[in-house]
Amino acid sequence: MRVKCVICDEVGQLPDDAPLAKTLRNRPIHTYMCDQCNERIADKTIARIATGNFVFRRSSHSIENNF
């Protein structure tokens, strides 16, 4: 299955029987991000958390209390 990263527009290839490929086929709202963009966003998020100014926005559901 051909996929395109939503951030950098890099075209990639996923095996047709991969779980992510099935998710993208069955739920069009889900988007694909390449490994480089995913890693870059994760690193920047960790850096923002380390500054102490990052606030997690969570819902008020009772299940969130255990998170």
Side-chain angles (χ1 to χ4, degrees):
M1 172 179 191
R2 287 182 50 178
V3 291
K4 187 175 187 180
C5 178
V6 295
I7 296 177
C8 66
D9 293 332
E10 178 183 332
V11 177
Q13 191 74 16
L14 285 177
D16 287 334
D17 56 348
L20 180 58
K22 183 178 179 184
T23 302
L24 293 172
R25 267 194 310 273
N26 293 335
R27 298 185 185 109
I29 192 76
H30 290 198
T31 55
Y32 172 77
M33 231 182 342
C34 64
D35 293 334
Q36 293 87 7
C37 290
N38 197 6
E39 185 176 326
R40 186 180 76 233
I41 289 174
D43 291 342
K44 290 186 180 230
T45 302
I46 290 170
R48 283 195 342 240
I49 291 171
T51 63
N53 294 330
F54 186 78
V55 178
F56 281 105
R57 304 287 183 197
R58 296 191 180 112
S59 66
S60 61
H61 296 285
S62 61
I63 196 167
E64 296 290 332
N65 293 334
N66 297 333
F67 185 71

